[in-house]
């Protein structure tokens, strides 16, 4: 029980420090800003997709932007789960653009928290787990795009969540953590294909284990273990084919 409260204190301390750094970055002010600065046009595109979901109650698989040309504004790039979800939140709470920034920021924060938890379990050191995670958050690119309208940083945050559950799968040897991990990897990859870089690395390690490490499993079971990975790649490829 004593160790439980110690761990919770460390979690709370990390969250306070993360919020403190965010305050230094000015997130409390940026949350209320409209699209501006670098990639302003891309931020406006994301906001436009979300607003069309909100105003027109569009089908999930038919997102659209504001368009004044001869064709309709239907277009798609990332899997529109964030745009669609924020539009639903606007239906509940009203049209407030800060909700969009807040959703993206929270996804990154969840990813960083999962990285902190994994690092603490791996290093068995609370101090260095905090330092390593906050050091990552000092990246100017991550700091700028976390509290933003673009999907890159949230996808990265989701990939970090996936990594945490994958490590839980390895340490606990429970398939439920594997399926949770691959679900988050799938979401990350559908939103931004570059988020699957970590997944590809883990897949290569898994294939190496199948080929060169004896674990008492039959060849059939080893091949069967690849199915969830292949299914993830198939769904991702299908989405991008549809998007094209």
């Amino acid at each position: 029980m004593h160790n439980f409260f110690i761990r919770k204190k460390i979690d709370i301390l990390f969250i306070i420090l993360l919020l403190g750094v965010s305050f230094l970055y000015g997130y409390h002010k940026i949350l209320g800003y409209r699209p501006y600065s670098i990639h302003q046009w891309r931020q406006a595109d994301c906001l436009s997709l979300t607003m069309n979901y909100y105003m027109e109650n569009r089908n999930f698989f038919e997102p659209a932007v504001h368009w004044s040309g001869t064709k309709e504004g239907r277009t798609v790039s990332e899997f529109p789960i964030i745009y669609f979800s924020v539009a639903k939140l606007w239906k509940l709470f009203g049209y407030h653009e800060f909700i969009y920034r807040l959703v993206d920021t929270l996804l990154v924060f969840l990813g960083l928290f999962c990285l902190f938890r994994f690092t603490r379990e791996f290093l068995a050191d609370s101090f260095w787990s905090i330092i390593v995670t906050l050091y990552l958050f000092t990246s100017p690119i991550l700091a700028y795009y976390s509290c933003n309208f673009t999907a890159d940083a949230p996808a990265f945050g989701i990939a970090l969540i996936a990594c945490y559950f994958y490590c839980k799968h390895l340490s606990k040897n429970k398939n439920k953590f594997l399926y949770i991990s691959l679900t988050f990897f799938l979401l990350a990859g559908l939103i931004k294909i570059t988020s699957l870089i970590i997944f590809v690395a883990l897949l290569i390690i898994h294939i190496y284990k199948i080929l060169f490490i004896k674990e008492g499993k039959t060849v059939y079971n080893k091949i069967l273990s690849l199915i969830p990975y292949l299914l993830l790649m198939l769904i991702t490829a299908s989405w991008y084919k549809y998007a094209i």
Side-chain angles (χ1 to χ4, degrees):
M1 183 65 70
H2 176 72
N3 290 335
F4 173 80
F5 284 112
I6 291 295
R7 288 197 300 270
K8 291 302 179 184
K9 286 181 180 179
I10 298 301
D11 289 347
I12 293 171
L13 174 61
F14 171 76
I15 293 172
I16 291 173
L17 291 174
L18 183 62
L19 293 175
V21 174
S22 303
F23 182 81
L24 292 175
Y25 288 160
Y27 279 12
H28 58 294
K29 297 179 181 178
I30 295 172
L31 279 172
Y33 291 174
R34 306 210 73 200
Y36 80 105
S37 190
I38 302 171
H39 285 165
Q40 181 180 11
W41 62 272
R42 188 65 180 89
Q43 297 176 54
D45 281 348
C46 297
L47 198 57
S48 178
L49 287 161
T50 308
M51 191 177 293
N52 275 273
Y53 274 129
Y54 169 67
M55 297 178 65
E56 299 181 2
N57 295 314
R58 302 189 66 87
N59 182 290
F60 179 84
F61 292 101
E62 294 187 350
V65 293
H66 292 75
W67 188 256
S68 58
T70 55
K71 298 181 180 180
E72 293 184 26
R74 288 192 302 167
T75 184
V76 67
S77 54
E78 302 95 2
F79 189 65
I81 184 66
I82 294 178
Y83 310 137
F84 187 80
S85 299
V86 172
K88 293 303 180 183
L89 289 175
W90 283 350
K91 289 288 186 182
L92 288 174
F93 303 106
Y95 178 78
H96 303 288
E97 292 179 5
F98 80 86
I99 293 176
Y100 194 131
R101 287 189 185 268
L102 184 61
V103 168
D104 279 7
T105 305
L106 289 177
L107 288 173
V108 176
F109 281 6
L110 283 173
L112 291 174
F113 182 76
C114 285
L115 176 63
F116 156 72
R117 291 292 297 269
F118 159 71
T119 309
R120 189 176 68 186
E121 294 174 13
F122 183 76
L123 298 177
D125 190 301
S126 298
F127 173 78
W128 283 109
S129 62
I130 292 174
I131 294 300
V132 167
T133 308
L134 291 182
Y135 183 71
L136 173 62
F137 194 43
T138 63
S139 162
I141 296 293
L142 186 59
Y144 175 74
Y145 285 105
S146 292
C147 188
N148 209 294
F149 295 102
T150 55
D152 305 73
F156 176 65
I158 295 171
L160 290 179
I161 298 172
C163 287
Y164 172 73
F165 283 106
Y166 194 88
C167 294
K168 293 283 284 187
H169 158 67
L170 294 178
S171 62
K172 303 291 185 180
N173 196 26
K174 292 184 177 180
N175 283 334
K176 71 174 183 178
F177 292 122
L178 173 64
Y179 300 139
I180 293 172
S181 171
L182 293 180
T183 300
F184 279 112
F185 270 127
L186 176 62
L187 282 174
L190 289 173
I191 295 172
K192 281 292 177 182
I193 191 68
T194 50
S195 298
L196 288 183
I197 291 174
I198 306 173
F199 166 79
V200 171
L202 294 174
L203 177 59
I204 292 172
I205 294 172
H206 185 70
I207 293 174
Y208 175 84
K209 289 170 65 179
I210 289 175
L211 295 176
F212 301 108
I213 297 179
K214 295 181 179 180
E215 297 179 328
K217 295 181 179 179
T218 64
V219 174
Y220 174 78
N221 285 334
K222 287 183 176 181
I223 295 175
L224 202 63
S225 69
L226 282 172
I227 291 179
Y229 298 86
L230 297 176
L231 186 61
L232 184 153
M233 292 188 291
L234 177 63
I235 295 174
T236 304
S238 299
W239 165 255
Y240 282 100
K241 180 176 175 56
Y242 171 77
I244 291 171

